[in-house]
Amino acid sequence: MERKDIFDVVRDFFALLNSPNTSEDEFENVRALVRVLDDLARAYHFVIYEFDGQANDPPAHDLQLYSAMRNLAGSKFPTLGDYSTVDPLEVPTSEILTGDALDDIADIACDLQDVLWCLENTSESNALFHFQIRYDSHWGRHLRYLQVYLYEILH
């Protein structure tokens, strides 16, 4: 997978979020989301960059951006909601945690928005740095928990 392909996958994620709901099949969009999440997870393994210490960081996220992304996710995927999960490092565990699919999608979108901002305003290397560092520290966990939830919905 080349750099261009990684950025295309990021754009595909946003294209899906912004596309109109035209199908009568309520799970068609969910299946499309599963595909693009799989592509994002795969793309992570092809990220190679040289750190650009001179590049600017993207602007800080604000509640307005998060709210817009969450509303977009809710419009696109109205059947998604809360789900239960557990801490996989605590065995056995008695604590059940709650995940929120729309929050997951919004958090992934906010972090990927930073990747596109860097691509447009700094460099490809800086965009790839933000793709990888944010995956490792934030959106990768959201993606993986969301994937399990979506798997259960579709099977």
Side-chain angles (χ1 to χ4, degrees):
M1 180 176 278
E2 303 292 323
R3 284 181 166 194
K4 176 195 170 307
D5 301 320
I6 295 168
F7 298 128
D8 285 346
V9 169
V10 172
R11 289 184 191 100
D12 290 346
F13 174 81
F14 285 107
L16 175 62
L17 277 182
N18 288 300
S19 66
N21 290 342
T22 57
S23 176
E24 303 246 343
D25 178 359
E26 67 180 288
F27 295 112
E28 182 177 332
N29 289 331
V30 174
R31 285 189 292 275
L33 178 59
V34 167
R35 281 190 299 275
V36 78
L37 293 175
D38 287 346
D39 291 344
L40 285 167
R42 183 174 177 270
Y44 168 81
H45 298 285
F46 292 91
V47 171
I48 299 171
Y49 63 88
E50 288 188 34
F51 181 71
D52 182 357
Q54 302 300 315
N56 292 328
D57 285 332
H61 293 171
D62 59 15
L63 186 56
Q64 190 173 19
L65 175 64
Y66 173 83
S67 295
M69 294 299 172
R70 185 178 173 90
N71 289 338
L72 188 59
S75 296
K76 184 68 182 180
F77 307 104
T79 61
L80 300 184
D82 293 342
Y83 57 91
S84 62
T85 187
V86 296
D87 183 341
L89 299 179
E90 285 191 34
V91 178
T93 183
S94 60
E95 183 179 5
I96 296 177
L97 307 171
T98 301
D100 177 349
L102 300 181
D103 173 73
D104 292 336
I105 295 167
D107 281 341
I108 293 167
C110 287
D111 284 350
L112 292 180
Q113 189 70 34
D114 288 349
V115 171
L116 294 180
W117 184 92
C118 289
L119 183 61
E120 294 169 5
N121 295 284
T122 62
S123 67
E124 284 186 352
S125 283
N126 193 38
L128 291 170
F129 166 76
H130 282 277
F131 184 98
Q132 184 178 53
I133 196 85
R134 298 280 175 86
Y135 176 94
D136 288 340
S137 65
H138 187 237
W139 70 268
R141 178 172 283 112
H142 284 281
L143 179 140
R144 296 303 186 177
Y145 281 114
L146 179 58
Q147 284 178 314
V148 170
Y149 170 64
L150 297 176
Y151 177 87
E152 293 301 326
I153 286 174
L154 294 175
H155 292 91

